[in-house]
Amino acid sequence: MSQTTELREPAGMSAGLTLLLAATAGIGVSSLYLAQPMIGLIGPSVGLAPGAYGLVVTLTQIGYAVGLLLLVPLGDFLENRRLMVITLSLGAVTLLLTSFARTPGVFLFACLVIGLTSVTVQMVVPMAAHLADPAKRGRQVGAVVGGLLTGILLCRPIASLIASVSGWRSVFLVASIAVLATAVVLRLTLPRRYPEGRKSYVAVLASLLPLLLRTRALRRRMAYHMGLFFAFSVFWTTIPLELNQQFGLHQRGIAIFSLVGAAGALSAPIAGRMADAGRTVIGTIGSMVMVALGIGLTLPASSLHGWAGLAAFAVATVLLDAGVQAHQPFAQKVLFDLAPEQRSRLNAIFVAGVFLAAAVGSATAPLLYTIGRWPLVAVLGTVPPLLVLGAYLLHQRGPTGRPSA
């Protein structure tokens, strides 16, 4: 597509464009998780106390939540391609500057800004929903979400491998180059999209709370995914510490272990096809069960040693990641079918709530790990998925007997 291509109405999404948006989602979101497997290296290097390591992840997630509420809604009234290119470019600059941080205050502030500038990925997902053929929206959005979640899973092992060779600072340098290259490709190939509704920025922001209050499906799906992503954040924030202290793994070993979770990325496209086929209820229940079972399995696994313990954690990782990834296409299919003109705002509210829950999990888990090691972390992560599973089952027993969302 040329630079001058403009898009106002959905015309279907080609395989090439689907791949481009999936790659953009994966590269864009990876900035959020680069530091997660390296907190054991970064903390001493910049002078962080061990109990404060979780702030590296927490502040990034808080910045992301703020960006979701302040920047992503712009997609409902500003030209989308320009908005994405600008946020990606700002993110590339921030990542470059982060590689030079020497003190805890500077590095933690950089983490906050990295989160703020990483919200491009949540502009990409509504763009994919707009471009997609309505009959294939679930699977095409699922493919983009699959790219997003593959980025989350692969960035950890890639970051660990780079850090093991040339140090953690080089990871941020490489990420800066990748994000900037993505911005250039989008600028040259993505069609421009002008939203139908042209509201003021203040009016768009003012509409967020009323939209949340009047949209029951949004409140429910956000609450469900908050519980699942809380468990995801608890697990991935503390698993590098457990792998190092319990199993003696260093950065390369942690990288190889992290690759196991990438197998779960296959669940997102499958979930998208199930959503298109109207199998949202059974798919939602299955995804919640996988998350609860995955994080719960780590409790007995923590008492094992050697290869047996690592194998049990690996199985738990696949279940956990697959469940979290599967639920997101089900949730976003429900939300994106509600109101096309509000997709950016619906997605912003949904993901902002999810990442606030993740920020709480990532801040709490390292502290509990220092107190009670992995068993306490496993309990912390297992309770929310069980609660949302129970809530969803109760919601399906309404007076009509039909799924509500």
Side-chain angles (χ1 to χ4, degrees):
M1 295 184 181
S2 68
Q3 294 185 36
T4 58
T5 302
E6 296 186 10
L7 190 64
R8 293 180 182 271
E9 298 296 332
M13 191 159 57
S14 67
L17 189 53
T18 302
L19 179 61
L20 171 63
L21 293 180
T24 302
I27 293 170
V29 79
S30 65
S31 301
L32 290 171
Y33 300 95
L34 291 175
Q36 208 168 55
M38 303 187 297
I39 57 174
L41 296 176
I42 295 172
S45 178
V46 300
L48 276 174
Y53 285 4
L55 289 176
V56 172
V57 180
T58 299
L59 287 174
T60 307
Q61 291 170 332
I62 289 174
Y64 192 64
V66 172
L68 287 165
L69 295 176
L70 297 183
L71 299 180
V72 173
L74 294 171
D76 280 341
F77 78 104
L78 292 181
E79 196 278 302
N80 287 188
R81 186 184 71 183
R82 178 182 298 176
L83 184 60
M84 287 188 277
V85 170
I86 289 173
T87 53
L88 282 170
S89 300
L90 291 174
V93 172
T94 304
L95 289 164
L96 176 62
L97 296 178
T98 303
S99 67
F100 296 103
R102 300 288 176 182
T103 63
V106 171
F107 186 83
L108 291 176
F109 178 75
C111 290
L112 187 70
V113 180
I114 285 173
L116 186 69
T117 57
S118 295
V119 294
T120 309
V121 62
Q122 298 304 337
M123 302 171 187
V124 170
V125 176
M127 180 74 158
H130 180 84
L131 290 168
D133 181 340
K136 300 178 181 178
R137 182 169 292 131
R139 72 190 69 175
Q140 291 186 325
V141 171
V144 174
V145 171
L148 182 160
L149 295 167
T150 300
I152 292 175
L153 296 172
L154 290 182
C155 72
R156 295 186 185 91
I158 292 173
S160 293
L161 288 173
I162 294 174
S164 70
V165 174
S166 54
W168 66 266
R169 296 180 187 279
S170 62
V171 173
F172 289 93
L173 177 60
V174 171
S176 175
I177 295 170
V179 172
L180 182 60
T182 302
V184 172
V185 173
L186 279 188
R187 177 65 181 82
L188 295 176
T189 60
L190 191 68
R192 289 185 290 185
R193 180 195 169 237
Y194 294 92
E196 294 295 332
R198 294 299 187 91
K199 297 182 179 180
S200 70
Y201 181 54
V202 173
V204 169
L205 293 183
S207 71
L208 295 180
L209 182 58
L211 182 60
L212 175 64
L213 294 177
R214 71 171 180 263
T215 311
R216 183 174 63 177
L218 172 60
R219 295 194 304 273
R220 288 185 174 178
R221 282 293 172 177
M222 184 173 69
Y224 302 152
H225 208 59
M226 285 173 72
L228 302 185
F229 212 73
F230 178 91
F232 183 89
S233 183
V234 164
F235 179 88
W236 281 109
T237 301
T238 47
I239 191 62
L241 302 176
E242 178 71 1
L243 292 174
N244 176 255
Q245 297 183 26
Q246 176 72 6
F247 299 101
L249 299 186
H250 297 291
Q251 287 304 128
R252 291 190 181 185
I254 293 171
I256 294 171
F257 179 89
S258 299
L259 284 172
V260 174
L266 298 173
S267 67
I270 295 172
R273 291 180 179 274
M274 290 179 66
D276 285 336
R279 301 175 66 184
T280 297
V281 173
I282 187 64
T284 297
I285 293 172
S287 62
M288 291 176 174
V289 169
M290 282 193 291
V291 174
L293 184 60
I295 191 73
L297 180 61
T298 65
L299 182 57
S302 64
S303 64
L304 301 175
H305 300 278
W307 287 107
L310 282 173
F313 267 99
V315 172
T317 300
V318 173
L319 287 172
L320 172 67
D321 289 353
V324 171
Q325 292 183 54
H327 181 261
Q328 190 162 334
F330 290 124
Q332 289 177 317
K333 176 67 163 61
V334 170
L335 298 181
F336 291 157
D337 284 349
L338 293 176
E341 73 282 0
Q342 296 175 342
R343 282 175 183 150
S344 289
R345 280 168 284 174
L346 288 167
N347 195 55
I349 297 169
F350 170 77
V351 182
V354 168
F355 271 83
L356 285 175
V360 173
S362 62
T364 308
L367 289 174
L368 292 185
Y369 186 81
T370 62
I371 296 171
R373 305 284 294 192
W374 190 268
L376 199 54
V377 172
V379 172
L380 174 69
T382 303
V383 172
L386 290 175
L387 289 176
V388 298
L389 174 60
Y392 185 74
L393 293 174
L394 287 175
H395 291 159
Q396 302 314 304
R397 299 179 62 184
T400 64
R402 295 173 62 86
S404 54

